[in-house]
Amino acid sequence: MFYLLNVAYARSPVFLLTALAVGLGGGVSPALAQTIFGVSVSPHDPAASRLPSNGTTYTVTFTVTDTSNAISPLIYDLLTTQRPGGFLTTVSITGSGVTQGANPDSAQVTLPPGGAVVATVTYSVGDVTAGSIDTLVFLARPALSPATSDSAKLVVTVIRPSVTVVKAVKPGGTAPPGTDLTYTVTLTNTGTENAVNVVHVDSVPAQLGFKVGSVSTSLPGGVTGAVAYSNNNGTTWTYVPVSAGCSAPAGYDYCVRAIRLSLSNPLSHVGPNNIVQLVFVAQVK
């Protein structure tokens, strides 16, 4: 008996060596099964809208499946890149049996024939302007056949709230002592995401005396807010205004130095529910 070694090459799929045993009688029987490499990654095109990370991270999962006809486990490289890059950063690649490389952009996993693993990519989002777009590319390939691969991409669009503050007073101009001034503070979320934990602080100058009970708010449906007062320029917020406070005329309080409005619910970025108003009255001393 003698052995004939037959080698086949292809770009994709890739073949391993095939050994054939040829008997003296002319019969041919396979000694080694031909192995075709193959791998599949899913889903291919997920998308996400994310706030800048601000110390937090986000995750996306990809399923890597061995589609070869191997009869023994194969090692797969798991790699991430960013296109065009600039604000997405891979923090880690994890999963059952996944071994993280020295670089957070790479890892390896061993899969049995037909096996699959869910790979979790943890990433962070840089502090960039709303509407910025970057793409995280995830690629899986057999370590023995780098030319055989499959990839998926996550398209990330940055969103963020943007709250503007406009303050108006009536009457305008220079007012004589004893004049009541009505201040209207308008907060508007003009961003691309709801604003969470909105807190606005408005100071009351020493030249003015706060009118007790004059505060009112206009809030969108489903949003509640709490008003607090400070008599020490915001160091504490436990003060309760009283008539004639700090030797003010009846109905006014000279002790109030700041007013705070804290929203208990997110402020929408969609009008008309993206607007909040705070109104109060102060008298010129």
Side-chain angles (χ1 to χ4, degrees), residues 94-184:
T94 59
S96 178
V98 174
T99 301
Q100 178 72 66
N103 186 328
D105 284 325
S106 65
Q108 281 192 330
V109 66
T110 300
L111 293 180
V117 66
V118 175
T120 299
V121 179
T122 300
Y123 63 96
S124 63
V125 179
D127 188 6
V128 294
T129 58
S132 299
I133 298 175
D134 205 353
T135 300
L136 176 71
V137 180
F138 177 85
L139 180 143
R141 67 187 185 192
L144 291 176
S145 177
T148 306
S149 65
D150 192 21
S151 63
K153 63 180 184 293
L154 168 72
V155 179
V156 178
T157 302
V158 174
I159 56 176
R160 61 193 311 160
S162 178
V163 179
T164 61
V165 180
V166 176
K167 188 173 182 178
V169 59
K170 290 183 179 181
T174 302
T179 303
D180 277 353
L181 303 178
T182 300
Y183 289 91
T184 301

Side-chain angles (χ1 to χ4, degrees), residues 239-263:
Y239 183 73
V240 178
V242 293
S243 177
C246 289
S247 302
Y252 296 86
D253 189 332
Y254 287 172
C255 295
V256 176
R257 295 274 68 87
I259 303 169
R260 183 181 70 185
L261 172 62
S262 304
L263 301 187

